[in-house]
Amino acid sequence: MLPVEKIASGTITNFILYLAIIGILLFVATVLRLKINFLKKAFIPASLIAGIIGLILGPYVLGLFSAEMRSSLSAMPTPFIVIVFACMQLGVKRSNLKDALILSAPSVIQGYLYSFVQVGVTCLLTALLFTPLWGTNSIFGCIVEVGFEGGHGTAGGMTEVYAELGWAAGGDVGQTTATIGLIIAIVGGIILINMGVKRRYTTVLEDSSALNAGQETFTGGEKKPSTYTTISGNVVETFAFHAALIGIAIFIGKVIIYLFDLVFHYSLPLFPFAMIGGWLLNMVLQRTPLAELMDRGIFVHIQSLTMDFLIVAAVASVSIPVILENWKPLLISCTLVTAIIIWLFWWTSPRLYKKHWFECAITRFGVATGVAAIGLMLLRTCDPEMKTEAGTVYGLGTPFVSPFVGGGLITTAYPYLIVAMGALKCGLLFVGISIALILLCMLVGLWNRKPVMEQRGNL
């Protein structure tokens, strides 16, 4: 066992040490990702590879990392996800609400449909099968939505909620579900794209052999600028200015939670309210000249950096004994939910989207089973030059989905609803809402009764 805790002492110093270890794992994983052809073809992100390496080095396999280190790593996703969510609305330009809703409505509907199905089906399985057979905690009913639609960050942020509600194992189970979802999003997404190409459902991509042709490194004159300097270094470093705005957003979220606890005597997780804090701050700044000093690209990079570190820490710190204890309900629920999501992908997508249905749908599939980055990766895979409107549709729909499901306020409320109502009632409720949502689309004219499946060249 490596005595890494003896290298440094003190909470902050240890935090820096663990960041360094995550950095080492991520560096090694990046080299492996670039050198090993299988990992490239499978589109496995370096952060997931690094997390798996950390898990192998941990106390449950090789034992090179101590149990104390695993415990410390398991605590890191919670503050990381606060930063990720604080960035979500910062720097987002205001758009015409009506136009945004009209264009993004199918993506928004599908986002909620996937979330409600994931919760509804898992709650029914928990109430009718898992709890009677294996004594599974009823809160397990929300674990697939938190892991799939929410991802590692949301799973980490919900750890304290699970513990507060009496299910201490929920954090580890949630991180495992998020890892399963990430793999399903990548592997399943690539399989769906291959099927779409063969059936001429893709608008741009004509040959599946082009799937692995994307450039992965940029050197020399190929290097691309991705952010802008918006304020002179004589005043403040641009990234420091943006980090300050993130800090303000988090502080606003903390104040909201404090006031809520003061009035209702009830504690809430910080991460969704950090997003609300960012939304409030952005709404104010967009009405001032300071809006021009915000570069959305910087917030996206900070968000992505934090997510990579978060995934490494989350996967590396998964408790294998907890997973072995819950492997049966995990296997059954993840398998059945994935099958239903794929069925909904093929059935609802061409009937919801007016144009470029496959590209719009594959983006939402990646987000609903993995994370936003995977959804966009799948989109770029089948639409490398972003010729379709799928990216715009997803982007416009994000403010109407992310604050609520997949880690937002509704996701945060799921375990409380299950505790209050029971898994069976929650399952029936959300399956019923899912069916009602589809029926509503049919009634209000958002349903293509005679969908055009083939999209090739239909720009």
Side-chain angles (χ1 to χ4, degrees):
M1 183 179 295
L2 296 177
V4 292
E5 285 80 11
K6 295 181 180 179
I7 298 176
S9 61
T11 304
I12 297 299
T13 309
N14 281 341
F15 180 75
I16 297 298
L17 172 64
Y18 294 135
L19 283 180
I21 291 169
I22 291 174
I24 293 170
L25 293 173
L26 198 54
F27 174 79
V28 172
T30 301
V31 174
L32 292 175
R33 173 63 170 76
L34 291 172
K35 297 296 183 181
I36 299 177
N37 202 37
F38 162 74
L39 297 175
K40 177 180 179 180
K41 288 184 176 180
F43 291 92
I44 305 298
S47 55
L48 181 57
I49 299 169
I52 293 172
I53 294 172
L55 185 63
I56 294 171
L57 295 176
Y60 302 115
V61 186
L62 297 180
L64 295 178
F65 291 164
S66 69
E68 291 78 13
M69 181 177 173
R70 188 208 74 85
S71 178
S72 297
L73 287 175
S74 69
M76 296 180 80
T78 300
F80 281 158
I81 192 58
V82 174
I83 298 173
V84 171
F85 271 70
C87 293
M88 278 191 173
Q89 299 298 316
L90 289 172
V92 176
K93 300 294 184 182
R94 290 181 294 165
S95 58
N96 184 283
L97 182 61
K98 182 179 178 181
D99 292 343
L101 272 173
I102 291 173
L103 185 60
S104 66
S107 181
V108 172
I109 291 166
Q110 205 166 46
Y112 282 99
L113 180 62
Y114 285 156
S115 174
F116 295 154
V117 165
Q118 288 170 8
V119 173
V121 171
T122 311
C123 276
L124 290 179
L125 286 172
T126 303
L128 300 175
L129 184 63
F130 303 156
T131 301
L133 285 182
W134 304 303
T136 305
N137 193 298
S138 62
I139 302 174
F140 186 93
C142 70
I143 208 72
V144 174
E145 198 274 349
V146 169
F148 277 27
E149 188 97 25
H152 286 90
T154 302
M158 294 293 284
T159 300
E160 294 179 359
V161 174
Y162 297 142
E164 178 190 332
L165 295 175
W167 189 35
D172 288 306
V173 178
Q175 297 291 8
T176 303
T177 311
T179 302
I180 294 170
L182 198 62
I183 295 170
I184 289 171
I186 297 167
V187 177
I190 296 301
I191 292 173
L192 291 174
I193 290 174
N194 273 285
M195 294 173 67
V197 171
K198 290 177 182 178
R199 299 175 183 180
R200 299 182 60 85
Y201 295 163
T202 52
T203 307
V204 178
L205 193 64
E206 298 182 2
D207 187 355
S208 58
S209 63
L211 291 179
N212 293 294
Q215 189 172 356
E216 293 192 323
T217 59
F218 304 92
T219 58
E222 296 174 331
K223 294 180 180 179
K224 299 179 180 180
S226 56
T227 61
Y228 293 93
T229 299
T230 61
I231 190 168
S232 170
N234 294 328
V235 180
V236 66
E237 163 59 38
T238 298
F239 268 74
F241 173 71
H242 287 70
L245 296 179
I246 294 170
I248 295 171
I250 294 171
F251 183 77
I252 293 172
K254 191 70 176 178
V255 169
I256 294 172
I257 289 177
Y258 171 76
L259 294 174
F260 189 90
D261 187 35
L262 198 65
V263 175
F264 298 102
H265 306 290
Y266 208 78
S267 60
L268 293 167
L270 177 55
F271 68 95
F273 293 93
M275 177 179 59
I276 292 175
W279 175 73
L280 291 171
L281 177 61
N282 187 70
M283 188 170 61
V284 172
L285 293 180
Q286 289 294 340
R287 290 171 168 78
T288 72
L290 290 173
E292 293 301 318
L293 299 182
M294 290 192 294
D295 174 24
R296 178 61 191 161
I298 291 178
F299 290 121
V300 170
H301 274 287
I302 293 175
Q303 192 177 35
S304 300
L305 180 153
T306 309
M307 273 301 302
D308 278 337
F309 273 65
L310 185 156
I311 291 172
V312 178
V315 176
S317 62
V318 165
S319 174
I320 293 179
V322 171
I323 303 314
L324 293 176
E325 184 181 340
N326 292 274
W327 74 269
K328 291 178 182 177
L330 269 173
L331 177 63
I332 294 170
S333 57
C334 289
T335 301
L336 183 58
V337 168
T338 299
I340 293 173
I341 293 298
I342 291 174
W343 175 74
L344 287 172
F345 171 90
W346 290 119
W347 183 58
T348 65
S349 301
R351 291 167 175 82
L352 282 173
Y353 297 99
K354 305 294 183 185
K355 289 180 63 179
H356 313 145
W357 72 262
F358 187 87
E359 287 77 14
C360 292
I362 200 68
T363 308
R364 180 53 67 186
F365 171 84
V367 176
T369 51
V371 291
I374 300 301
L376 294 173
M377 180 206 78
L378 293 174
L379 172 59
R380 292 299 295 266
T381 301
C382 60
D383 182 14
E385 298 179 15
M386 302 294 280
K387 292 181 178 180
T388 68
E389 64 181 21
T392 302
V393 168
Y394 171 71
L396 290 174
T398 299
F400 304 107
V401 180
S402 295
F404 305 103
V405 297
L409 298 176
I410 296 177
T411 293
T412 309
Y414 283 143
Y416 295 106
L417 288 172
I418 293 171
V419 170
M421 299 173 57
L424 181 59
K425 288 182 179 178
C426 273
L428 293 172
L429 173 65
F430 286 108
V431 168
I433 292 175
S434 302
I435 296 171
L437 196 57
I438 294 174
L439 293 175
L440 180 64
C441 291
M442 295 178 178
L443 290 173
V444 299
L446 291 175
W447 194 259
N448 303 323
R449 297 186 183 277
K450 296 181 179 179
V452 178
M453 303 296 288
E454 291 193 14
Q455 300 288 300
R456 188 67 47 81
N458 186 26
L459 287 172

